[in-house]
Amino acid sequence: MNYIKGKIRNIIYQDKETGYVVAVFRVKETNDNKMLDYVNKTLTITGNFIDINSEETYILHGSALKHERFGFQYKVDSYEKEELTTKDSIIAFLSSSLIKGCGEKLATKIVDTLGIEAIKKIKESSDVLLKVPGITEVKAKTIRDSLISYSDADDTLLKLKEMGFSILEATKIYKKYQEQTKRIIEDNLYTVCEILDFDKVDKIYQISHDKNDLIRVKACLIEAMKRLSFNTGDTYNYEEEIKNNLKKEFDIILESDIFEEVIYNLEKENKLILEENRYYLKEYYEAEEDITKNLYSLSNSNNSILNDFDKEIEMMEKEANVKYNIDQKNAIRKALENKITIISGGPGTGKTTIINAIVKLYIKIHEYSYMESLANIALLAPTGRASKKMSMATGMPAMTIHRYLKWNKETNSFGINEFHKAQENLIIVDEMSMIDINLFNALLKGIKGNVQLIMVGDVFQLPSVGPGLVLNDLIESDLFTFCPLEKIYRQSANSYIPYLALEIKNKDIAEDFTTRKDDYNFLSIDSKYIKDVIKKICLMSKQKGLDENDIQILAPMYKGENGIDNLNVILQELFNPKDLSKEEIKIGDITYRENDKVLQLQNNPDCNVFNGDIGFIRKIIKKTSKNKDMIIIDFEGNKVEYSKEEMHQVKHAYAITIHKSQGSEFSHVILPISKNYYKMLYNKLIYTGVSRAKKSLVIIGEAQAFLMAVNNDYASTRKTTLKEKLMNKFIKSNS
């Protein structure tokens, strides 16, 4: 294998989290003919290192690249440190800054006494240094501890690389577990699945273990349950479901007696809970338990009754020039009077108007100044776009739940929690249908026990991506104040969109649903023409002055002829064609260019950007001073920098999934419907897509496929026990 050998002269850039380094390296020798001209010269190297220093000699394996801007560079794929085999090299190492408490004089004595295997002997025995004349026990311990600490990272990195992990993965593992890494990978390699892909770890584990090894079977069973919950939204599973998924995902077949033994072990390890015939992952079981406990405690705290509500609401109607109906007034009053209130309604029923009224009245009743309002009221939503909508409606700051709870992406933990609670007195949460069991549990843990909690949403929308059916379970428990909103307020004189959503909800579609309306059009065409018609509509819209800011295509699936991936390629060329004035970059098979519309796929609270946020690529910079390509994306004024490696966090957003559109509204929506979408055509999905449109909606495709979707209840039921636990707790406690 080709190599270059030498020392680090200085470090230009170092990322402490990933171990990525750009450094100047002086080459002493090489076996690569292409690198001979660089012997006794310096060059720039790039790669991932656990610990890097200028004291030691490194042997680097990689390839030379010539960059038009930064010149000749050496990309390091793997590395090792030169083994110390001479007396002088060992003395130099022991007396370097890497080893504490050992100068050159003492290092010479150590090597004279212990020989050229001094380092190995010191690591093996804590007493061997005491043979060196004049050395104290304290000094011996300091030297050995320093050597062990320094060597541990190298030994562990080598072991991880030998196992099959890349240097980047090995670095990530060591950064996470530090001196515990060796013990963890020896005891249970699957522990590192906290930070690495399960399938990669499983593949490496099977190299040296039988596929039915007990450690593997336990890890795979837990992973099979996680994948089941992710796919179904269930918080628990039955035995046959687990067995079937274990076979499907990992080719593991368990007889009943072995299955029971594995379950027993996992219960003892506190990873799984069996109750009756229901199998829960510990986190989902405890989430339901904690939610039940916290909601019960919150519902029993005191709250004052409003005086002169009718007078106050009448004054507000005059000030805001609005007229609330009976249901809206009831929702506002109940929300202000009760500790826990749920408000649910479809599009056009005035949910945002009600949130604004509640905030204004709450501030007025408590006579808060603006700064006092900020300290006492928190407006929250699961997505960035939904929180911005709340902020615009109320004139108050709003934020995502993850940001409010100070989520740490690296540790997947919240800074606001049961030990460090937020201090606001009124919490309003919008888009509750999107919130899964874990996020709701984290929110309840992080707020005070006497807070007023108002939850707003549309129970008929798509449920959360993560497990649970929180909003539905809370409503069906019939334990909390519930204010349904039915009356639709027309968006314009002939607005049809909210009525279509209601018809879909009730599975009672009008016979003339394909007839054109002021804000709605159904284009009945064969599925093979869908993408062409979408392109034609977008071209006509551009001629009318609309652009990708105004128009959003929502589709059920990524793959296929009319899937999102294919539509994005077509629409990119239409809205943002190739142009010599625009820089572009290719990542895999996808080309991104300046001015592209993109969608954020992950929460990143550090940069104030969240799953579902839509932005535009403003600048692409090839090879910055940090030796990385940089992409700058503008999310409505919030400019976020991405490296090429971080672009997996985004996708083109000319077309997006209906799931990703939740919490958002768009002026003009185009919704393709085709039988080719198969099981993705179901009632709640179509309802959610339709209800995203504000000004106009165009449905393109087959009328039969649309009607099939309206009458299909696929995925409407999830297995949860939150409702059951809530009812048991409240009934038992009140009896």
Side-chain angles (χ1 to χ4, degrees):
M1 185 185 291
N2 289 339
Y3 69 86
I4 59 173
K5 182 161 73 172
K7 285 191 172 186
I8 302 294
R9 290 292 295 272
N10 66 288
I11 295 171
I12 300 170
Y13 170 75
Q14 186 172 20
D15 187 321
K16 298 291 186 184
E17 293 297 329
T18 64
Y20 181 80
V21 167
V22 181
V24 176
F25 187 81
R26 185 173 182 83
V27 181
K28 286 184 178 180
E29 67 175 71
T30 180
N31 68 346
D32 187 345
N33 291 333
K34 296 176 183 177
M35 301 298 296
L36 289 173
D37 290 342
Y38 285 87
V39 174
N40 296 322
K41 294 180 182 177
T42 60
L43 56 78
T44 302
I45 64 166
T46 65
N48 294 87
F49 295 80
I50 286 183
D51 285 310
I52 190 167
N53 61 77
S54 59
E55 306 278 359
E56 294 194 88
T57 299
Y58 289 86
I59 299 168
L60 310 179
H61 305 283
S63 56
L65 302 169
K66 189 169 184 180
H67 189 272
E68 57 185 24
R69 183 175 168 189
F70 295 101
F72 197 80
Q73 298 177 342
Y74 193 84
K75 183 177 179 293
V76 180
D77 296 323
S78 64
Y79 71 91
E80 57 202 85
K81 293 176 183 177
E82 184 180 45
E83 202 170 324
L84 304 175
T85 57
T86 66
K87 180 178 179 180
D88 288 344
S89 65
I90 296 169
I91 291 171
F93 171 69
L94 289 174
S95 59
S96 73
S97 61
L98 302 171
I99 306 300
K100 294 177 183 177
C102 189
E104 187 175 351
K105 189 175 178 181
L106 181 54
T108 303
K109 279 186 180 182
I110 291 171
V111 177
D112 285 343
T113 305
L114 303 178
I116 61 171
E117 290 194 336
I119 292 173
K120 181 183 177 183
K121 290 176 180 178
I122 295 168
K123 287 163 68 175
E124 287 176 350
S125 170
S126 58
D127 299 327
V128 72
L129 277 169
L130 297 177
K131 296 177 181 178
V132 179
I135 199 166
T136 64
E137 285 190 22
V138 173
K139 178 72 74 174
K141 186 177 186 309
T142 300
I143 293 170
R144 184 173 187 271
D145 287 350
S146 181
L147 179 61
I148 292 292
S149 176
Y150 179 75
S151 299
D152 182 64
D154 292 330
D155 294 344
T156 304
L157 176 63
L158 182 61
K159 183 173 178 64
L160 289 167
K161 284 165 61 183
E162 288 172 348
M163 290 172 70
F165 291 105
S166 69
I167 190 166
L168 179 60
E169 291 165 337
T171 302
K172 195 172 182 181
I173 292 169
Y174 191 80
K175 293 281 183 184
K176 167 75 173 175
Y177 302 108
Q178 298 291 319
E179 66 276 0
Q180 299 297 317
T181 304
K182 271 188 179 178
R183 179 188 60 77
I184 284 170
I185 61 178
E186 287 170 2
D187 289 353
N188 188 348
L189 182 64
Y190 289 98
T191 303
V192 306
C193 293
E194 293 175 332
I195 55 172
L196 293 184
D197 176 66
F198 184 92
D199 289 333
K200 173 67 182 281
V201 177
D202 188 40
K203 186 177 179 181
I204 289 173
Y205 188 83
Q206 288 185 80
I207 293 172
S208 54
H209 297 84
D210 184 78
K211 80 168 190 174
N212 290 318
D213 172 278
L214 182 59
I215 288 176
R216 178 175 187 258
V217 171
K218 288 192 296 182
C220 288
L221 190 144
I222 293 294
E223 181 65 17
M225 289 181 68
K226 286 180 182 177
R227 294 182 186 185
L228 260 178
S229 291
F230 181 81
N231 290 330
T232 64
D234 298 336
T235 60
Y236 66 88
N237 308 118
Y238 293 121
E239 179 177 333
E240 284 308 308
E241 291 174 324
I242 299 170
K243 285 181 178 178
N244 290 339
N245 211 42
L246 198 53
K247 180 182 177 182
K248 175 187 170 187
E249 298 282 352
F250 305 109
D251 193 30
I252 294 175
I253 300 173
L254 294 184
E255 298 299 331
S256 293
D257 56 339
I258 303 298
F259 180 82
E260 288 176 12
E261 180 187 343
V262 173
I263 293 297
Y264 176 74
N265 276 285
L266 288 170
E267 282 187 283
K268 279 176 62 180
E269 293 169 20
N270 205 22
K271 292 179 180 177
L272 182 148
I273 291 168
L274 173 60
E275 192 171 80
E276 297 176 356
N277 61 340
R278 299 184 293 232
Y279 297 81
Y280 299 80
L281 290 171
K282 180 192 173 189
E283 63 176 308
Y284 300 144
Y285 183 88
E286 291 187 345
E288 289 188 340
E289 290 281 310
D290 290 342
I291 288 170
T292 298
K293 177 186 68 178
N294 286 323
L295 286 177
Y296 178 76
S297 176
L298 182 57
S299 68
N300 283 317
S301 58
N302 295 321
N303 200 42
S304 57
I305 302 299
L306 290 175
N307 295 317
D308 300 322
F309 173 79
D310 292 333
K311 181 181 176 183
E312 293 290 352
I313 203 76
E314 188 178 330
M315 289 174 62
M316 180 164 285
E317 286 179 322
K318 289 178 181 177
E319 290 171 9
N321 192 28
V322 296
K323 189 70 178 173
Y324 304 113
N325 66 29
I326 293 174
D327 288 342
Q328 289 175 323
K329 286 181 182 178
N330 180 58
I332 296 166
R333 179 197 286 271
K334 293 284 181 66
L336 291 166
E337 286 182 347
N338 290 280
K339 280 296 180 182
I340 301 174
T341 307
I342 303 168
I343 301 169
S344 178
T349 54
K351 297 188 296 293
T352 304
T353 302
I354 289 172
I355 291 173
N356 184 39
I358 292 168
V359 171
K360 296 292 188 292
L361 265 177
Y362 188 85
I363 292 171
K364 189 173 182 181
I365 290 164
H366 291 84
E367 299 180 342
Y368 286 149
S369 66
Y370 181 71
M371 293 307 294
E372 287 173 327
S373 300
L374 297 183
N376 284 281
I377 301 171
L379 304 179
L380 309 175
T383 69
R385 291 176 75 86
S387 66
K388 285 167 191 168
K389 180 183 168 187
M390 290 180 82
S391 184
M392 288 176 65
T394 61
M396 292 274 292
M399 65 184 77
T400 65
I401 299 171
H402 280 85
R403 190 179 180 198
Y404 177 71
L405 296 177
K406 298 182 179 178
W407 181 59
N408 184 310
K409 184 179 178 181
E410 296 301 320
T411 61
N412 193 27
S413 61
F414 295 99
I416 298 296
N417 50 49
E418 61 266 49
F419 309 110
H420 182 215
K421 291 182 178 285
Q423 293 305 304
E424 287 83 2
N425 292 313
L426 175 68
I427 309 288
I428 303 180
V429 186
D430 198 9
E431 298 291 349
M432 265 299 296
S433 64
M434 296 179 66
I435 298 175
D436 65 30
I437 197 86
N438 285 335
L439 186 56
F440 191 56
N441 185 34
L443 177 63
L444 291 181
K445 284 182 176 180
I447 60 179
K448 296 192 300 184
N450 62 344
V451 76
Q452 273 183 264
L453 177 62
I454 300 166
M455 295 170 280
V456 183
D458 183 351
V459 73
F460 204 74
Q461 273 189 37
L462 284 169
S464 58
V465 174
L469 202 59
V470 176
L471 181 60
N472 186 78
D473 285 348
L474 297 184
I475 292 171
E476 289 202 354
S477 72
D478 201 25
L479 296 168
F480 310 104
T481 302
F482 175 49
C483 305
L485 303 173
E486 301 290 346
K487 183 175 173 57
I488 294 172
Y489 284 81
R490 292 177 181 267
Q491 294 166 317
S492 65
N494 295 301
S495 177
Y496 179 65
I497 295 169
Y499 292 97
L500 176 62
L502 184 61
E503 288 175 5
I504 293 169
K505 173 183 174 180
N506 295 330
K507 299 180 190 172
D508 186 20
I509 301 295
E511 290 184 6
D512 66 343
F513 75 93
T514 58
T515 304
R516 183 168 185 160
K517 311 289 192 303
D518 281 8
D519 60 349
Y520 165 79
N521 198 6
F522 193 111
L523 301 177
S524 296
I525 59 167
D526 190 282
S527 61
K528 64 184 177 183
Y529 300 118
I530 284 177
K531 62 181 185 299
D532 298 321
V533 174
I534 288 175
K535 185 176 180 180
K536 187 175 180 181
I537 291 172
C538 290
L539 277 169
M540 292 170 61
S541 299
K542 279 186 72 177
Q543 291 168 4
K544 293 178 181 178
L546 300 178
D547 60 21
E548 62 270 38
N549 263 310
D550 307 299
I551 303 165
Q552 187 60 60
I553 289 83
L554 303 179
M557 294 173 68
Y558 283 107
K559 303 303 178 186
E561 188 179 10
N562 297 312
I564 287 161
D565 291 339
N566 193 38
L567 289 174
N568 270 323
V569 173
I570 296 168
L571 295 168
Q572 181 193 34
E573 288 307 308
L574 190 152
F575 286 113
N576 191 31
K578 187 177 180 67
D579 189 317
L580 292 176
S581 67
K582 292 182 285 195
E583 188 69 77
E584 59 182 47
I585 189 168
K586 192 160 186 177
I587 300 171
D589 296 330
I590 302 172
T591 298
Y592 291 97
R593 63 177 62 105
E594 290 173 343
N595 297 334
D596 266 344
K597 182 180 182 181
V598 292
L599 173 78
Q600 177 74 12
L601 301 173
Q602 300 176 5
N603 290 323
N604 188 348
D606 293 339
C607 296
N608 194 27
V609 59
F610 297 87
N611 184 0
D613 284 356
I614 291 176
F616 288 84
I617 297 176
R618 293 306 179 205
K619 199 161 189 64
I620 295 173
I621 306 168
K622 296 288 188 70
K623 295 297 180 186
T624 66
S625 59
K626 295 179 181 178
N627 203 41
K628 288 185 176 183
D629 296 318
M630 183 186 293
I631 299 94
I632 299 173
I633 303 178
D634 184 353
F635 294 93
E636 298 185 26
N638 176 31
K639 292 180 180 177
V640 182
E641 294 181 1
Y642 293 77
S643 67
K644 190 174 180 179
E645 292 75 21
E646 292 171 326
M647 285 297 284
H648 67 277
Q649 297 180 28
V650 302
K651 283 183 76 76
H652 279 119
Y654 302 102
I656 65 174
T657 65
I658 296 171
H659 280 90
K660 290 292 184 186
S661 75
Q662 281 186 273
S664 302
E665 287 184 335
F666 308 99
S667 295
H668 306 279
V669 168
I670 299 173
L671 186 64
I673 299 288
S674 166
K675 289 179 183 175
N676 294 335
Y677 292 137
Y678 297 112
K679 69 176 184 179
M680 290 307 291
L681 291 178
Y682 58 95
N683 189 285
K684 284 197 173 186
L685 189 86
I686 302 304
Y687 173 87
T688 302
V690 165
S691 60
R692 299 308 89 201
K694 287 197 297 183
K695 293 182 180 178
S696 76
L697 169 69
V698 178
I699 299 178
I700 304 172
E702 300 143 340
Q704 189 178 358
F706 175 76
L707 291 172
M708 180 182 76
V710 169
N711 291 291
N712 182 11
D713 282 329
Y714 166 78
S716 62
T717 304
R718 291 183 171 190
K719 299 199 300 294
T720 72
T721 43
L722 177 60
K723 172 186 167 183
E724 176 186 318
K725 288 177 179 177
L726 282 166
M727 294 177 74
N728 287 341
K729 173 72 174 175
F730 278 70
I731 292 168
K732 189 181 294 182
S733 299
N734 293 326
S735 60

